[in-house]
Amino acid sequence: MATTTHILGFPRIGEKRELKFALEGYWRGELDLPQLAATGASIRQENWTLQADNQLRFVTAGDFAWYDHVLNMSLLLGHVPQRHRDGDIDMDTLFNIARGQSRQECSCHDGNAASEMTKWFNTNYHYIVPEFSADDTFKVSWSQLFDEVDEAIQQGHQVKPVLLGPLSYLYLGKSVTAEFDRLSLLPQLVIAYQTIVDKLAAQGVAWIQIDEPILALELEPVWLDAFQTAYTQLQRKNKQGSPKLLLTTYFDSITDVLERVTALPVDGLHIDVVSAPQQLDQVSEKLPADWVLSVGVINGRNVWRADLAALLKQLQPLKAQLGERLWIASSCSLLHSPVDLSLETDLSEAMQSWFAFARQKVTELGLLGAALDGDTQAIEACRKYSLPIEQRRASQQVNKPHVRQRVEAINESLATRSLPYQQRAIYQQEALQLPFLPTTTIGSFPQTGEIRKLRRDFRQGHLSESDYKTVLKAHIHEAVERQEALGLDVLVHGEAERNDMVEYFAENLSGFQTTRFGWVQSYGSRCVKPAIIVADIEREKPITVEWSQYAQSLTSKQMKGMLTGPVTILCWTFPREDIPRKTMSQQLALALRDEVADLQSAGIDIIQIDEPAIREGLPLKKRDHQTYLDWAVQSFRIAASSAVPQTQIHTHMCYSEFNEIIESVAALDADVITIETSRSNMELLDAFEAFNYPNEIGPGVYDIHSPNIPSQAWMVELLKKASQAIPAERLWVNPDCGLKTRGWPETEAALRNMVAAAKTLRAHWKAQVIV
Ligand code: GLN
Ligand code: ZN
């Protein structure tokens, strides 16, 4: 029998983001439910046809979601937050949980808040967090999964449904009632899972993929124990003819818990050997004799062509050992890859031959499966398929000796400012002449339709470079005037030239490739289009200097230069697979270091290096954190350390929870850090206080995600609160994040109040000091 090939899931957005546009049309009331449903059905049909055409043993169902697959699971289990329960569960329930129900939509009460959203492990996908309370019940109530299984069967496919497993579902949720142990819900939850399995059995399903990605975390023993209990209960009724369970893990190794896993009553195990190749030997050795082993060899999270020739060689002995029990698969769901490389007609032929997007990855699996089964044509095809990978390895355009040398020469002194903060602060005070409680913003100003059109026209060649620059400079001029009128102390140029804080640098550094349709779902209808690191990175010419210098020429106030940090650029792009993340981060750091030096020479005395993603890059296992943090911090410091003591380096981060990494945040040694704190009512400052954070801090005093205009009094209160954690001499006054998603009227109103709040406190606190 042929080697079993399958994927853990396929992107649901459609090759040209059809689902996004349909969803947004539906939300605006321009599309009705049948029209939305038709878009979903056609995406699923296309995805399944592709899998069948490539001879995958199963097509995967249950990977399609209108908004999020974790939310699907909640609906399937009839597990809906109390505030969203009014009558039957339907599509509106789904979207209300995901997006909140506004007051306008519902006049009866204040509107029901959306559920929280959080990152899916260490990916850039966000899921809707299930909410658990002590009296929760579960009752299978949403037929989408069963309908889609039927739909696939009717289209003539052998279907393998995917479920998020009960332990991961519980673990990834949060408790909303105090003092209660989520695990107490498990027995009931498993009963609902049993019902689901029974229904799938009745539909004729032979295998179910049950995802338990939390097995790759460092789980507490109670959770591990719960696996045994739950799966025993789930399989209690397992009799002849009922579906088999493939327990699926991904994103990291599970060897820590291998003994626990192999004791579970399931029928097979999937491991991710892309993120953790070292686990393969141990797992295959310890595999129970009647289990299948699904080996995830095709990277679901990146865009690179698989080295099929090498994989074939690696898998052949395993095939000999396991025979039919060897399955091959994508490492994780292909949800995290863009959909179709064949749309990228602008890419050079060489570049085309380096990549594989989701569709191409399915083809790779089909080919690899056939080759493993001894098909000589497929074996030859695998060999040919790997040739560009070898050529690329030898290319000096990819592996640039001069960049390598510079990276090799990195040492501690390159990553250290010439003086410690306390001394730098004295120089900076003298050079910058900033008032007590200086006011500033985080970088971007409203990206109006006009600005977006300007960039689009330039990109599409409808506007000459000089015309583009002239109009852009007019926007910068306007932003500067507005800031001067508001009385801000440290100004910014507004980032009108940037579509996105990472893509802009990717387009202007050598070593990156951007795509036209390489979209990946971030959450709901939102997609991102990460650039790809394709070669050693270098800066061929200054990137931001002209804009910052021009902006500085318009004002006697300080103009803050604005860069995206090395770690954030790395975290928000598709990295190379042939060199370590650390090396790419260091290359970026060196490029940015040169930019810092050039900005400084051009008369920019304050430079912000944004690192909002530094925490996202953390590996899944705590024991791997420090190694990452060490090189991440070093990269930032390399970038910052071309600054002389008089030059003030800022950084900005916008995520919650600094506790875990506060030492590393301090180790960045930025002169000033601006952070998001307003939504937590300054609670996030606790970590800084507890740690006795030594440098200056700008705790965000208002939430830029909301159009509401914060009052002066409100911000005064927040600043007073902040001053209890951080000495006022080291406080800055600024919003939580950049303002690009806001309009000018609300931005100006909010900043006017913010400046007034700072002035009030200056007067108040100065008076207190004099007394
Ligand atoms: N400087 C960027 C901006 O203002 C920072 C964005 C971010 O932190 N995500 O838009
Ligand atoms: Zn931010």
Side-chain angles (χ1 to χ4, degrees), residues 442 501 610 612 652-655 674-676 704-705 736-738:
I442 305 304
M501 64 187 291
D610 289 327
H652 165 70
M653 293 179 191
C654 43
Y655 48 76
T674 54
I675 54 171
E676 175 187 328
I704 57 91
H705 299 96
D736 265 346
C737 191

Side-chain angles (χ1 to χ4, degrees), residues 52-211:
D53 285 352
N54 284 283
Q55 268 78 49
L56 301 200
R57 157 105 176 266
F58 305 108
V59 303
T60 299
D63 55 348
F64 181 83
W66 296 109
Y67 200 96
D68 161 46
H69 55 272
V70 180
L71 178 55
N72 268 14
M73 200 65 224
S74 292
L75 262 61
L76 174 58
L77 294 163
H79 182 230
V80 169
Q82 188 67 49
R83 64 186 181 283
H84 291 290
R85 274 181 232 159
D86 50 359
D88 286 343
I89 295 181
D90 57 18
M91 220 39 164
D92 291 334
T93 319
L94 189 155
F95 292 134
N96 288 341
I97 300 173
R99 309 173 65 226
Q101 184 187 40
S102 70
R103 217 178 301 211
Q104 292 93 305
E105 280 164 22
C106 174
S107 52
C108 49
H109 46 81
D110 275 358
N112 290 321
S115 283
E116 229 173 72
M117 194 165 63
T118 197
K119 274 166 70 71
W120 179 245
F121 299 87
N122 55 359
T123 71
N124 279 323
Y125 178 80
H126 301 75
Y127 70 94
I128 302 288
V129 180
E131 296 174 22
F132 294 104
S133 42
D135 56 359
D136 279 352
T137 53
F138 305 96
K139 179 169 174 286
V140 176
S141 337
W142 177 247
S143 67
Q144 187 183 345
L145 175 68
F146 312 111
D147 298 345
E148 289 173 7
V149 166
D150 269 340
E151 193 178 290
I153 293 171
Q154 269 161 29
Q155 288 169 27
H157 301 300
Q158 176 90 291
V159 56
K160 175 204 61 180
V162 40
L163 288 174
L164 178 60
L167 274 306
S168 293
Y169 179 71
L170 262 189
Y171 189 90
L172 296 170
K174 64 167 196 180
S175 307
V176 291
T177 43
E179 308 272 319
F180 120 87
D181 173 15
R182 253 173 297 160
L183 280 171
S184 64
L185 297 172
L186 190 60
Q188 269 208 64
L189 180 63
V190 175
I191 293 173
Y193 270 79
Q194 270 172 341
T195 311
I196 298 168
V197 172
D198 288 346
K199 283 192 179 229
L200 292 170
Q203 289 179 288
V205 161
W207 276 92
I208 297 173
Q209 169 188 326
I210 191 148
D211 284 3

Side-chain angles (χ1 to χ4, degrees), residues 752-765:
R752 195 168 295 122
N753 291 352
M754 186 187 89
V755 171
K759 287 189 174 154
T760 308
L761 277 174
R762 275 176 205 159
H764 183 67
W765 278 335

Side-chain angles (χ1 to χ4, degrees), residues 441-445 494-495 498 501 562-564 572 608 610-612 652-654 736-740:
T441 61
I442 305 304
S444 57
F445 273 123
E495 300 180 29
R498 302 179 195 181
M501 64 187 291
M562 199 55 61
L563 305 175
T564 303
W572 289 349
Q608 178 173 313
D610 289 327
E611 284 290 20
H652 165 70
M653 293 179 191
C654 43
D736 265 346
C737 191
L739 294 156
K740 70 182 207 178

